[in-house]
Amino acid sequence: MSDTHDIIARGKHVIRLEAESVAALESRINEEFARAVNMIYECKGRVAVTGMGKSGIIARKIVATLNSTGTPALFLHPTDAVHGDLGMVRKEDVVICISKSGDTAELNNLLPIFKRIGVPVIAMVGGMHSALARAANIVLD
């Protein structure tokens, strides 16, 4: 184990890196962000949030936060969705799909179904030229 001073220095370094990363998000707050906020605010149904793996964990946290602040939301596991849970999604809902690559097979399988239902899709994605980004109504980088 490192000495106390080294641990403290490393801890402070991590906090500085995280703070810089959060500050860098400011440049991504744009018209698409405003459109997404308005779409969620004006939603007459629920906000369904979906993602696989780590993105799914983030999706669950977003659902918990939305529900606790008064916005009806549900987590839609992509694999469970294709095995019956898509029945929870209605045209008056909004879907948020979270994927780092934007080419997650389980999510991409849902996109044509969301389109058929007529539910708008907000993509939170790292791959701005991905299948998810191309299919979404709103794309957040």
Side-chain angles (χ1 to χ4, degrees):
M1 191 63 163
S2 299
D3 67 51
T4 302
H5 295 294
D6 188 42
I7 292 170
I8 292 169
R10 287 178 190 228
K12 288 181 177 184
H13 177 71
V14 168
I15 295 299
R16 276 192 303 278
L17 288 174
E18 293 294 327
E20 290 168 9
S21 295
V22 169
L25 291 173
E26 182 180 3
S27 67
R28 295 179 180 178
I29 304 299
N30 56 23
E31 290 78 17
E32 288 288 281
F33 176 81
R35 287 182 58 221
V37 169
N38 281 325
M39 183 179 285
I40 293 167
Y41 181 76
E42 294 169 1
C43 178
K44 302 294 183 214
R46 298 175 293 181
V47 178
V49 190
T50 187
M52 282 297 296
K54 299 287 185 228
S55 295
I57 294 168
I58 294 165
R60 283 182 174 95
K61 175 58 181 146
I62 290 171
V63 166
T65 300
L66 288 170
N67 281 320
S68 71
T69 58
T71 300
L74 63 93
F75 173 70
L76 180 66
H77 192 286
T79 304
D80 292 340
V82 295
H83 293 283
D85 282 359
L86 265 172
M88 294 188 296
V89 179
R90 303 278 186 249
K91 187 176 183 170
E92 61 272 6
D93 296 339
V94 170
V95 173
I96 300 174
C97 295
I98 305 172
S99 172
K100 181 168 176 40
S101 70
D103 288 314
T104 305
E106 294 86 350
L107 284 180
N108 290 345
N109 291 337
L110 300 177
L111 296 173
I113 301 166
F114 292 149
K115 188 174 190 91
R116 192 173 5 176
I117 294 169
V119 63
V121 174
I122 299 170
M124 294 178 68
V125 63
M128 294 301 287
H129 302 290
S130 63
L132 176 55
R134 287 190 307 272
N137 300 88
I138 296 173
V139 181
L140 302 176
D141 177 16

